[in-house]
Amino acid sequence: MAYSEKVIDHYQNPRNVGSFGTSKDVADRKDIGVGIVGAPECGDVMQLQLRINDEGVIEDAKFKCFGCGSAIASSSLATEWIKGKSVDEALTIRNTQIVEELSLPPVKIHCSVLAEDSIRSAIADFQKKNGIVPANAVGAAAAH
Amino acid sequence: MALKFPIYMDNAATTRTDPRAVEAMLPYFTEKFGNSASRNHVFGWDAEDGIEIAREHAASLIGASSKEIIWTSGSTESNNLAIKGTARMYAKSPEGTKNRGHIITCVIEHKAVLDPCKRLEREGFDVTWITPPPDGVVTRQMIAEAIRPDTILVSIMWVNNEIGTINEIPEIGKLCHEKGVIFHTDATQWVGKMPTDVERDCIDLMSWSSHKMYGPKGVGALFVRRRSPRVRLEAILDGGGHERGMRSGTLNVPGIVGFGKACELCCESMDADRERLFGLKQKLERELTSRLEVAQVNGHADRRVPHIANISFGYVEGESLLMGIKEIACSSGSACTSASLEPSYVLKNLGIGDELAHSSLRLSIGRWTTEAEIDYAIQAIEKSVNHLRTLSPLWDLFKEGIDVSKIEWQSH
């Protein structure tokens, strides 16, 4: 199985790696939304942290990923796409777009699903911390 | 010596055919191309001579008589013939009934043993599946506890193909002989690498494969004991009655000749190869586990063959690691290297945890592995593990002192 050039590029030069602090540091920060999805025993865990301003715009995004090259590339790509977008715009990103952009084979589709989940999960965390009731509360569960 | 890339460290999957074996095979394609079953002309006689010389080499490699060697297409076929052939021959009641006999095997066998045993379960046989402890070693004691009056067959691999652990084969063989139970061992990762004597080690049936010991692919052998006890098998393939009726089908003459040559070469260089590979493997394991935190060698500390090292690097996923060391051809127990989402069933069954199974790397070395390649592998793996840990959220949690296994993960 050969990887696409874009996957290799994200793997070798991942964009926006890092965090805005440890899980404890960011737990009380209302401008940060944290999403951690996946599980170690499944072989992939993605952590996405978003810094969101008062206007609901994602000013910065940082990721960390334990997973295969496609999982790393999917989360790296997700951070690139959501930076500068509003929360509502970010929620329109679908895993199928990630599959297409990275030319992921069928066995790697779950990596893209995880990336979409991490965006939703981080935004939900931000909204919860700020008492915002999401407009599309029903949509979040439909990813699988 | 300059390194040549990519570096091959997947010798447990297959080995390069020794050029001397290839050379021995060549005349059997275009000059001595006869069917070894043709009894009436020189083409057939030449082919038969080639086959019988190979049979002598295969037999002397394992301390058997040449009449006890049955040629097959490889270990998968040998295992199928040994397990199904024994069960069906020694069944205690006819097809379509229950309680047809008891078989003992273990959960970390190769699929080519597990699946025939599962089929026999559906055919009315009873199977005991032994789960070895985390060190991976199947002992005489474990078999002794599982043997019953109706046990007809014990099938335990000599060496585990993923972690390289060595089971207590001679001890299990002796036990089976004491109890009058037929003993089969899948010795694919053992024969040709380690000294083998089927008489001393009390083995009744033994499978091995040419391409794991520097011979060509598509050829294997099954040792079938002829004396005390004489083991009989029900054939799987019906046809011309080749190989004493146990395996019909025109023989793969060039392949068998190459396999025979490979057996001869292993006899000659086994001791030297073993010493050298042991030194290289020790260096690989010692350096990686001392340079990197949370790196563990899987399987028993000492009871392991010299050519297989299986190491888990905590908080790093195996496939991403393979991607980072793309100049080294090796394998991982990670789910992502297979079509399923399950990590290696061998590591999983040993209870080392799914997470460490996902983080494992199997490096298997061979006759042409050099020390320079080992040195390269050590530094490449170290660099890649460190890089991937800068990306790993689990590594951060570990560094914060949080026990990753205690977190409730949202599985998907």
Side-chain angles (χ1 to χ4, degrees), chain A residues 1 3 7-8 11-12 14 17 22-23 36-45 47 64-69 72 108 110 114 144, chain B residues 315-317 319-320 323-324 326 336 339 341 354-355 358-359 384 387-388 390-394 396-397 400 402 404 409-412:
Chain A
M1 176 182 54
Y3 299 99
V7 168
I8 293 170
Y11 173 83
Q12 286 172 343
V17 176
T22 65
S23 47
I36 301 183
V37 296
E41 61 267 25
C42 301
D44 30 37
V45 175
Q47 172 185 295
K64 290 240 169 172
C65 178
F66 163 86
C68 66
I72 291 170
K108 297 297 182 189
H110 73 279
L114 215 55
H144 295 258
Chain B
Y315 317 111
V316 169
E317 195 277 331
E319 191 191 336
S320 63
M323 213 172 150
K326 60 180 190 308
C336 286
L341 286 179
D354 283 14
E355 186 204 324
H358 281 293
S359 304
S384 191
H387 166 66
L388 290 166
T390 65
L391 260 64
S392 170
L394 303 179
D396 286 350
L397 292 171
E400 284 172 39
I402 296 167
V404 171
W409 296 98
Q410 162 225 328
S411 294
H412 62 289

Side-chain angles (χ1 to χ4, degrees), chain A residues 11-121:
Chain A
Y11 173 83
Q12 286 172 343
N13 314 292
R15 332 288 199 255
N16 309 305
V17 176
S19 64
F20 301 113
T22 65
S23 47
K24 231 182 259 164
D25 293 342
V26 296
D28 299 323
R29 278 184 61 179
K30 290 202 165 183
D31 60 332
I32 306 272
V34 181
I36 301 183
V37 296
E41 61 267 25
C42 301
D44 30 37
V45 175
M46 280 182 198
Q47 172 185 295
L48 182 64
Q49 295 190 352
L50 306 177
R51 200 175 74 224
I52 302 171
N53 69 15
D54 295 342
E55 280 80 49
V57 173
I58 299 167
E59 288 186 322
D60 203 357
K62 295 278 186 202
F63 88 95
K64 290 240 169 172
C65 178
F66 163 86
C68 66
S70 304
I72 291 170
S74 296
S75 36
S76 169
L77 177 67
T79 60
E80 256 190 336
W81 277 358
I82 57 180
K83 266 170 83 167
K85 283 203 166 69
S86 72
V87 164
D88 289 341
E89 285 167 337
L91 286 171
T92 65
I93 291 171
R94 288 291 172 271
N95 80 292
T96 48
Q97 296 166 282
I98 296 172
V99 170
E100 199 178 323
E101 174 69 14
L102 296 175
S103 314
L104 297 181
V107 294
K108 297 297 182 189
I109 287 174
H110 73 279
C111 299
S112 69
V113 172
L114 215 55
E116 182 187 321
D117 285 355
S118 72
I119 299 172
R120 292 175 180 281
S121 169

Side-chain angles (χ1 to χ4, degrees), chain B residues 3 9 53 61 114 164 231 269 273 310 374 403:
Chain B
L3 285 170
M9 289 203 184
I53 291 168
L61 180 64
L114 297 179
V231 178
S269 65
D273 277 355
N310 189 306
I374 295 287
D403 184 348

